[in-house]
Amino acid sequence: DCGEIDAPQATSWLQALAAQADFVVVDLPFSLSPATRGVLCESHYLALVIEPAPACLRLAGLILEGIRNWDKAPAAIGTVMVRRTLSGAPIAIPDIEADLGVPMFQVVPPAAVSCLQAELNRLPLIQCDPDSSVADSFNSLACCFLPTRSLRK
């Protein structure tokens, strides 16, 4: 049976993983389901992945507004902007930060060929193309969450 995960089950899994690792990364759906809420309420950081498109930014704003209304939320919230293509009018990072009210942790540049190569090889992108700008972006993003580095406010 592949039923929906409830909040207690999700937080139990998160706590079990946290007991086994120094750092746990959870890829959550873009919704505020009970399981998502349970995981986020137990998390220290939230990196909300966005695209620089008006509709995506409006949805991100609604998600962040919902999270801000919770009694408990991650202490550090920011965004990661992923550009899948170079097309479209760029939106300035300071404008996005002002509109959403959170800092931009990282910008990941388009890398269709590198992403396809990683997918075909079933390897992390930073292993397939470690010298690429997108690999540098992922490494920089990881550094945002190291305990020895303070997050920008």
Side-chain angles (χ1 to χ4, degrees):
D1 184 21
C2 293
E4 187 171 326
I5 299 169
D6 62 17
Q9 186 177 27
T11 56
S12 174
W13 288 347
L14 182 65
Q15 290 166 352
L17 289 168
Q20 299 295 316
D22 293 332
F23 204 86
V24 177
V25 176
V26 182
D27 185 5
L28 297 169
F30 201 77
S31 71
L32 297 180
S33 70
T36 298
R37 184 175 180 167
V39 168
L40 288 176
C41 286
E42 296 295 322
S43 299
H44 297 284
Y45 306 105
L46 167 61
L48 183 64
V49 178
I50 61 171
E51 288 187 53
C56 180
L57 297 175
R58 281 192 296 277
L59 289 172
L62 291 172
I63 291 289
L64 290 169
E65 181 181 327
I67 292 169
R68 286 183 189 113
N69 287 323
W70 294 347
D71 292 334
K72 188 176 178 190
I77 299 174
T79 59
V80 176
M81 183 167 61
V82 176
R83 293 193 58 113
R84 290 197 265 178
T85 66
L86 291 174
S87 63
I91 302 173
I93 291 174
D95 292 342
I96 294 172
E97 290 176 324
D99 288 347
L100 297 179
V102 295
M104 180 85 54
F105 288 149
Q106 190 64 42
V107 176
V108 179
V113 173
S114 295
C115 290
L116 179 59
Q117 178 186 1
E119 184 176 336
L120 292 174
N121 290 316
R122 296 179 181 242
L123 292 171
L125 186 139
I126 59 172
Q127 250 183 309
C128 285
D129 196 2
D131 298 323
S132 69
S133 61
V134 71
D136 287 344
S137 296
F138 288 133
N139 284 325
S140 295
L141 177 61
C143 289
C144 287
F145 303 110
L146 294 174
T148 57
R149 181 176 170 173
S150 63
L151 297 172
R152 71 180 175 157
K153 305 239 185 231

